[in-house]
Amino acid sequence: MTVQDRARQTRKPRILCIGMPVRDLIFRVAGVPERGNKDPADGFAEIAGGNSPNAAISIARLGGDVLLSGPVGGLNAASNITIVDQFRGEGIDTGGLVEVDGVVTPISSILIDPSGERTIVTFRDPKLWTVNLPSSDVLLDGCDAILAENRCAEFATDICAEAHRRGIPVVIDADRVMSLREGLLQVSSHIIFSAEALRATAGESDEVAALRKVARLTPALLGVTSGAKGAIWLAEHGNPRHMPAFPVHTVDTLGAGDAFHGAFTLATAEGQPLEQAMRFASATAALKCTRFGGAFGSPQRAEVEDFLAANAPVTAS
Amino acid sequence: MTVQDRARQTRKPRILCIGMPVRDLIFRVAGVPERGNKDPADGFAEIAGGNSPNAAISIARLGGDVLLSGPVGGLNAASNITIVDQFRGEGIDTGGLVEVDGVVTPISSILIDPSGERTIVTFRDPKLWTVNLPSSDVLLDGCDAILAENRCAEFATDICAEAHRRGIPVVIDADRVMSLREGLLQVSSHIIFSAEALRATAGESDEVAALRKVARLTPALLGVTSGAKGAIWLAEHGNPRHMPAFPVHTVDTLGAGDAFHGAFTLATAEGQPLEQAMRFASATAALKCTRFGGAFGSPQRAEVEDFLAANAPVTAS
């Protein structure tokens, strides 16, 4: 056992999640309303959300020690109490959240129809990008890996660069289109795209071709998640590997991609080999899909390990 | 000058507004999203809303003394602070609001597209209807008129009946379908329908025929508002009167019907003759339509009086 292995056993890996918390307002509806209509909803919940914050919940449940950092609005301090309390209830350190004066916390209206399909409108005030995060000394203290949303590049690149310089893994959740001149490309160890963001970034509809196009611009490991189609990543020499998703009865996909990113980042911080980390992430996302409640449907560590033990190994091809 | 006239000059008319406050979450969007999409909004506001509460704002700005009564959710006390503060900021007495444990305050997701059209999804927890309002002694103290939403019939009928017995005008805002056996039909002095609610209630697409059908079941004055088409009511012997809407440049119709109901109720409490009350209500609603912000775009008394003086009288036909 190496010294590093021993250290890992004696404390939880500490993951810095950089993202934008969102107030997710979830309405259960018969369908998306026609323009101009007044429709009733027969269910409602307000929960904490956002890509990296959702991943933070997954990581905490899988046994990681999470520091969450990013901007929240200062205008609606009363409403923020609810979401910050929800993160704290998961054991997440919210000490890296910074209030931005004069703006509201990002907010999503999420309509869920009887088939489980969701339709989302999100408002993020442009002033949120003026946030100044705490210093790298504070955020990187004891940090074993970073997970950052690419939409936060404007205020997260410096800290990612410093972590990269120190040899800390930096995983990017690329859920929106990225410039091919994006600075994060040079300071990250892993970039996992959503299928839509990858296509939009590379201007390629074929996912492997798109990954190869981006690969010319970054030393990072590149991957993409495509829901039920599974995950693809580029191995040595640009050879694609495909891992199918575990087949499960899906009732709620909200936060499933985020669970994948969170689990993958934790597994990487734990030193799991790449394919094993992808399987761990895939199992976490699959279990999340079987439960309602966005990220609050994310599984505990023991459930993921039982699931992996009980299910025929899904092997990358 | 009668004693009543003198009393009216020495104090503001006191109006009891019974309704369900709603948290209106307003997103400015390019259009209603396709099912399954994630769309951005480029503007957002959270304001206090709800039919009778909106009318309460209009009445307060027109010089009435308003007591607002109805249920609010007890689960989201922090979020309620915002909307209750907004009503108080308008000088409204919110002492009649009652928290219902275990539920959230009604909430609407309102998408506004570039043409000003709005698409609404609203959640109201069924348990809100179990609310017990304060006693009639409290609510009717000094009361000169009631404005009540017909959706509140389950908990508002008793107080309306007591007011009706005392000769206090009871105006019903019928914004949702009403049973033809509805108790409010017997204890109200005026019922003003929305066009959709009238058609659904009477099962008649012709508005005059629909009003006449309902008229067989109630002694109340019956009317209907149809946005830009104006208002219709039944005069003696079921003869319809039509008052066209004032032509204005409309930028936001949210809360316009509520402004009409509020102004009409105040005018009735002030003893304005029926046609004059309808004109006053119509002018208030027209001015509201020229301004963004839902009920917070409702005009002050002086503006309505200037508008009525400056515009060629719209006469009922």
Side-chain angles (χ1 to χ4, degrees):
Chain A
M1 185 180 276
T2 67
V3 172
Q4 198 182 352
D5 284 341
R6 201 179 310 277
R8 217 173 269 137
Q9 286 192 336
T10 56
R11 70 172 184 86
K12 296 173 163 187
R14 184 163 173 88
I15 314 294
L16 169 62
C17 290
I18 304 178
M20 283 202 185
V22 176
R23 292 166 61 201
D24 279 351
L25 306 165
I26 302 177
F27 296 83
R28 202 169 56 206
V29 295
V32 176
E34 297 280 316
R35 175 170 178 269
N37 275 16
K38 279 187 183 182
D39 284 7
D42 64 6
F44 171 78
E46 176 167 354
I47 62 174
N51 296 82
S52 191
N54 280 342
I57 292 169
S58 297
I59 294 169
R61 292 188 176 189
L62 294 172
D65 174 23
V66 187
L67 172 61
L68 179 59
S69 185
V72 292
L75 270 188
N76 52 344
S79 300
N80 287 346
I81 294 169
T82 312
I83 64 169
V84 172
D85 276 355
Q86 289 180 340
F87 292 125
R88 287 191 183 140
E90 296 287 330
I92 293 167
D93 180 351
T94 58
L97 296 178
V98 178
E99 273 197 9
V100 179
D101 286 342
V103 305
V104 295
T105 294
I107 187 161
S108 286
S109 168
I110 302 176
L111 306 182
I112 300 189
D113 69 24
S115 75
E117 180 63 286
R118 47 204 43 60
T119 306
I120 305 182
V121 170
T122 305
F123 174 69
R124 293 183 182 87
D125 193 303
K127 289 199 201 97
L128 287 160
W129 277 268
T130 65
V131 69
N132 288 309
L133 298 191
S135 73
S136 58
D137 285 348
V138 172
L139 293 183
L140 296 182
D141 184 30
C143 178
D144 295 303
I146 291 182
L147 173 63
E149 298 174 24
N150 74 315
R151 72 162 53 78
C152 299
E154 198 167 327
F155 53 81
T157 302
D158 287 353
I159 196 101
C160 290
E162 175 59 21
H164 194 60
R165 201 185 60 74
R166 297 189 194 179
I168 298 171
V170 174
V171 180
I172 302 299
D173 171 358
D175 191 41
R176 75 164 189 185
V177 62
M178 190 187 277
S179 160
L180 294 177
R181 291 191 200 84
E182 172 60 63
L184 286 176
L185 290 167
Q186 307 314 321
V187 299
S188 50
S189 56
H190 306 73
I191 305 176
I192 314 283
F193 288 88
S194 69
E196 298 74 11
L198 175 61
R199 282 193 292 267
T201 296
E204 287 275 358
S205 61
D206 179 76
E207 290 172 357
V208 172
L211 288 174
R212 285 178 175 154
K213 184 165 175 182
V214 179
R216 285 184 232 128
L217 304 165
T218 173
L221 181 287
L222 298 181
V224 57
T225 60
S226 291
K229 286 164 58 190
I232 293 172
W233 69 95
L234 293 186
E236 303 75 37
H237 314 300
N239 287 327
R241 307 291 302 278
H242 175 236
M243 182 170 289
F246 287 92
V248 290
H249 177 65
T250 293
V251 299
D252 177 13
T253 62
L254 187 65
D258 306 323
F260 187 102
H261 288 101
F264 179 79
T265 305
L266 178 65
T268 300
E270 290 175 350
Q272 293 188 33
L274 180 60
E275 185 171 334
Q276 186 181 325
M278 289 283 184
R279 281 191 77 227
F280 183 73
S282 184
T284 303
L287 284 168
K288 149 57 236 156
C289 288
T290 64
R291 296 168 199 167
F292 276 109
F296 294 92
S298 206
Q300 302 292 326
R301 181 70 175 240
E303 296 177 280
V304 176
E305 290 180 351
D306 288 354
F307 182 84
L308 283 168
N311 280 270
V314 175
T315 311
S317 58
Chain B
M1 186 180 281
T2 67
V3 172
Q4 199 182 354
D5 285 341
R6 200 178 309 278
R8 216 173 271 138
Q9 287 192 334
T10 55
R11 70 172 185 88
K12 296 171 164 189
R14 184 163 173 89
I15 314 293
L16 169 63
C17 290
I18 304 178
M20 283 202 185
V22 176
R23 291 166 62 200
D24 279 350
L25 305 167
I26 303 178
F27 296 83
R28 202 168 56 206
V29 294
V32 176
E34 298 280 316
R35 175 170 178 271
N37 275 16
K38 279 187 181 183
D39 284 8
D42 64 6
F44 171 76
E46 176 167 355
I47 62 173
N51 296 83
S52 191
N54 279 343
I57 292 169
S58 297
I59 294 168
R61 292 189 176 187
L62 294 171
D65 175 21
V66 187
L67 173 60
L68 179 59
S69 185
V72 292
L75 271 188
N76 51 345
S79 299
N80 288 345
I81 292 169
T82 312
I83 66 170
V84 172
D85 275 357
Q86 288 180 340
F87 292 126
R88 287 190 184 142
E90 296 287 330
I92 292 167
D93 180 351
T94 58
L97 295 178
V98 178
E99 273 196 9
V100 178
D101 286 341
V103 304
V104 296
T105 294
I107 187 158
S108 286
S109 168
I110 303 177
L111 305 182
I112 300 189
D113 69 23
S115 75
E117 180 63 285
R118 47 205 42 62
T119 306
I120 306 181
V121 170
T122 305
F123 173 69
R124 293 183 182 88
D125 193 303
K127 289 199 202 97
L128 287 160
W129 276 268
T130 64
V131 68
N132 288 309
L133 297 190
S135 73
S136 58
D137 285 349
V138 171
L139 293 183
L140 297 182
D141 183 32
C143 177
D144 296 303
I146 291 182
L147 171 62
E149 298 174 25
N150 73 314
R151 73 163 53 78
C152 300
E154 197 166 327
F155 54 80
T157 301
D158 286 354
I159 197 102
C160 290
E162 175 59 21
H164 194 60
R165 202 185 60 73
R166 296 188 194 179
I168 298 171
V170 174
V171 180
I172 302 299
D173 170 358
D175 191 40
R176 75 165 190 184
V177 62
M178 190 187 276
S179 158
L180 294 176
R181 289 189 200 86
E182 171 60 62
L184 286 175
L185 290 166
Q186 308 314 320
V187 298
S188 52
S189 56
H190 307 74
I191 305 176
I192 315 283
F193 288 88
S194 68
E196 296 75 10
L198 176 60
R199 282 193 292 267
T201 296
E204 287 273 359
S205 61
D206 179 77
E207 290 171 356
V208 172
L211 288 174
R212 285 177 176 155
K213 185 167 175 181
V214 179
R216 286 183 231 128
L217 304 166
T218 173
L221 181 288
L222 297 181
V224 57
T225 60
S226 292
K229 286 164 58 189
I232 294 171
W233 69 93
L234 294 185
E236 303 76 36
H237 314 299
N239 288 327
R241 307 290 302 277
H242 174 236
M243 181 170 291
F246 288 92
V248 289
H249 177 65
T250 294
V251 298
D252 176 12
T253 62
L254 187 65
D258 305 324
F260 187 102
H261 288 102
F264 179 79
T265 305
L266 178 65
T268 300
E270 289 175 351
Q272 293 188 33
L274 181 59
E275 184 170 334
Q276 187 181 325
M278 290 282 185
R279 281 191 75 228
F280 182 75
S282 183
T284 302
L287 283 168
K288 149 57 237 155
C289 288
T290 64
R291 293 166 202 170
F292 276 109
F296 295 91
S298 206
Q300 302 292 326
R301 180 68 174 243
E303 295 175 279
V304 176
E305 290 180 349
D306 288 353
F307 182 85
L308 282 168
N311 280 270
V314 175
T315 312
S317 58

